[in-house]
Amino acid sequence: MTHCSEATLWPREQRGRSESWDQSEGPHDMPRGKIATEVFKLANSSRPRSRKKAVVTMLELPVCLPSSMMAVALALVVLGPCPGLTAPLHDSDDALDPENYDLNSVTDLESLEPNIYGDNYDYDDLDQEIEVSTVAANIGQPDSQTTEEHQEEKQTVPMKGPLTLDFKGSGLFGPQTGLGMPTCLLCVCIGGSVYCDDTGLEQIPPLPKDTTHFYGRFNMIRHIKNTDFIKLSKLQSIDLTGNQISEMDEDVFRSLQQLQDLLLADNNLQVLPELPVTMRHIDLRNNRLISHGIHSEIFKDMSQLEFLYLSNNYLDYIPTPLPLSLRVLHLQGNNIQYLHEDTFCDRHDRNFIRRNLEDIRLDDNPLNIHQFPQAYVCLPRLPVGSPRW
């Protein structure tokens, strides 16, 4: 092949050197075919820097390359690399042989495919509608196998028997109530105290066997049965104030050998059942108690009784004898009309003094206390009361 004449080249000081060929020789010393090969390699490179050098080389050597070659090289620079126009990259020198290229052919720039570097994509496919199918389960038609398993599971659940007062296995939250709920979930249990105030109870719930204080105030309880406090040997206090209790079984409190406080105010009681002798505080205010509804000498053996509230009932006389331990006796608002000489004192012992009884209320009764001076000569202070006429 012929060499480019030096006269056709630009001044040497205006020519740069390409990194693609050997630095020991300039482009004027290279054959024309080799120059074309190097220009095509630079133009078809994926590196922007190499493609830029191809443009610079073509501008420096305008007469050494045919116009068709320059057009193809510029197309490669503008449109990007074209693998089909270069020899495959191999380590052999045959890959760089100019005879493998048709340098005299004219390349049709309009036929160049800008996307020949990779797979062809039909972008019209993007306009197709995408069908979205539902993945929701068919609720109306459940799996038959699952249904059968569920039915078998339901059949294997043992049926619960009727609720009983079984205090042996009460569990962590106490025995079961009539609502099928442990008492200590329906009520509040703190230590030995059970608080069931204002919970809408209509009967006494089964209590844990270690209950010492029970509060069931402001409910709708009407009847106290003899099984309500059974086996509660530690029970010391019962407060059922503000219910609708009108009936109590006779022996409902008999087994409670540690009971000290019984508060049944604001109910509808007419009869008071037998009480244990351990009582200390009895509150029966605002009921309908009558004298015949109280056992004779019911308070006599209560050696620890200190507080007895019987106000606002229908009592005709004071229930005697009263224990010497009594400190407070409220009987106002009854129908008491007469006092006996030994109501508070001992008519057989003129030196008898009732030292503990300091608070006696007899007001709002049809009684004139001044007519019965011998009834309270043994008292440390006179009763309080004005007659109701």
Side-chain angles (χ1 to χ4, degrees), residues 260 262 272 275 279-285 289 294 298-300 302 304-311 313 315 317-323 325-332 334 344 357 359-361:
Q260 297 181 1
L262 179 61
L272 182 63
L275 300 177
M279 300 303 303
R280 186 184 65 91
H281 181 188
I282 300 174
D283 188 354
L284 295 167
R285 294 173 296 169
L289 285 175
I294 300 178
I298 187 175
F299 305 116
K300 179 181 178 180
M302 296 182 184
Q304 302 179 37
L305 184 61
E306 298 182 10
F307 308 94
L308 181 57
Y309 300 95
L310 298 171
S311 57
N313 282 282
L315 299 178
Y317 53 84
I318 299 175
T320 57
L322 298 174
S325 59
L326 193 62
R327 297 173 53 189
V328 176
L329 176 61
H330 286 188
L331 291 164
Q332 69 270 28
N334 280 280
F344 303 113
L357 190 55
D359 185 5
I360 302 176
R361 295 285 303 273

Side-chain angles (χ1 to χ4, degrees), residues 42-53:
L42 293 174
N44 199 39
S45 175
S46 60
R47 298 174 58 188
R49 183 177 179 182
S50 299
R51 293 159 64 186
K52 180 179 179 181
K53 290 180 180 181

Side-chain angles (χ1 to χ4, degrees), residues 111-135:
S111 64
L112 291 178
E113 295 271 352
N115 197 30
I116 62 174
Y117 207 43
D119 298 333
N120 293 328
Y121 296 95
D122 187 1
Y123 292 97
D124 294 336
D125 294 340
L126 298 179
D127 296 333
Q128 297 178 0
E129 295 184 359
I130 301 177
E131 296 182 0
V132 180
S133 61
T134 177
V135 295

Side-chain angles (χ1 to χ4, degrees), residues 8 34 44 79 121 184 197 217 227 246 314 337 380 383-384:
T8 62
K34 189 172 183 179
N44 199 39
L79 300 178
Y121 296 95
C184 293
D197 296 338
R217 298 168 290 194
T227 57
S246 59
Y314 298 97
Q337 303 178 22
V384 176

Side-chain angles (χ1 to χ4, degrees), residues 37 41 44 82-90 94-97 100-101:
T37 301
K41 286 177 61 179
N44 199 39
C82 181
L85 297 180
T86 59
L89 296 178
H90 298 287
D94 295 338
L96 301 178
D97 191 354
N100 294 328
Y101 299 91

Side-chain angles (χ1 to χ4, degrees), residues 370-382:
H370 302 289
Q371 295 179 358
F372 310 95
Q374 298 299 322
Y376 43 82
V377 293
C378 63
L379 299 177
R381 62 182 64 185
L382 293 176

